[in-house]
Amino acid sequence: MRHVAATRHASRAFTQAQLERRVVVADFFFTRCPTVCPLLTERMARLQRRAREQDVPVHFVSFSVDPRYAERLAAYARDHALDTANWSLVTGPLEQVETTVLKGFRVMMGRADEADFLSLFHGEHFVLVDAAGRLRGYYRVTEDPQGLEQLLEDASALAHAAR
């Protein structure tokens, strides 16, 4: 996982260095999304709670693919009652976001029409990254009821191997 540079929900700089030596679960969303993004956020919050219950040391990061609305990240976290102690909502200039998503995480994203937020698209799965920064898996969490459980199991194995 390379090419991570962004702005965090609290308007602080966010870099790849903040993810180093950590097991990370990443996803991709945008704050104006009325469809799948709220579901992804709910699933990430559920995964975060389950990881905490099982004492699995994981950092969560959600990349907004709609950086023109970066100022909405803090409100989004607040409105969805997200625990940002180990969950970062980040974005940055569009070129950086595209590089991070496409080259760093190898996940699709795009925009068919700049004026229409419904034309934004992005991968709808979670990405597991090990403590060495290697991509370890992609998990369907919206359609597969076992996706979250398998992701938590795999993240736990990676986190305990990294200790």
Side-chain angles (χ1 to χ4, degrees):
M1 175 188 60
R2 293 183 178 82
H3 311 289
V4 175
T7 302
R8 192 168 180 211
H9 60 272
S11 299
R12 294 182 301 230
F14 185 86
T15 66
Q16 184 172 336
Q18 290 168 271
L19 301 178
E20 289 176 357
R21 296 181 302 283
R22 292 180 172 186
V23 173
V24 174
V25 175
D27 79 331
F28 312 91
F29 80 114
F30 62 103
T31 59
R32 301 181 296 150
C33 176
T35 57
V36 73
C37 297
L39 177 60
L40 291 170
T41 299
E42 182 275 324
R43 297 287 161 80
M44 187 74 90
R46 183 184 308 172
L47 182 65
Q48 182 188 42
R49 284 189 303 274
R50 301 261 302 136
R52 184 173 293 121
E53 290 166 2
Q54 295 182 25
D55 196 29
V56 178
V58 177
H59 190 83
F60 301 90
V61 60
S62 295
F63 291 89
S64 173
V65 299
D66 191 17
R68 290 181 301 159
Y69 295 88
E71 74 282 355
R72 294 184 181 191
L73 290 176
Y76 187 88
R78 185 179 55 253
D79 292 348
H80 291 271
L82 304 182
D83 178 354
T84 57
N86 67 332
W87 185 352
S88 302
L89 280 68
V90 300
T91 195
L94 184 57
E95 284 185 14
Q96 280 184 335
V97 170
E98 286 177 337
T99 299
T100 297
V101 175
L102 297 170
K103 294 182 180 176
F105 288 95
R106 298 184 184 116
V107 170
M108 67 169 187
M109 73 164 277
R111 180 187 311 265
D113 179 1
E114 284 289 325
D116 180 11
F117 75 86
L118 291 175
S119 72
L120 282 170
F121 63 91
H122 55 83
E124 296 178 5
H125 48 274
F126 291 175
V127 181
L128 178 62
V129 181
D130 69 17
R134 294 180 301 244
L135 301 176
R136 297 302 292 261
Y138 296 86
Y139 300 79
R140 300 295 262 160
V141 297
T142 57
E143 301 159 4
D144 180 3
Q146 297 302 314
L148 281 181
E149 289 305 315
Q150 185 63 56
L151 173 51
L152 184 58
E153 184 179 316
D154 294 349
S156 179
L158 289 174
H160 291 99
R163 286 186 177 173

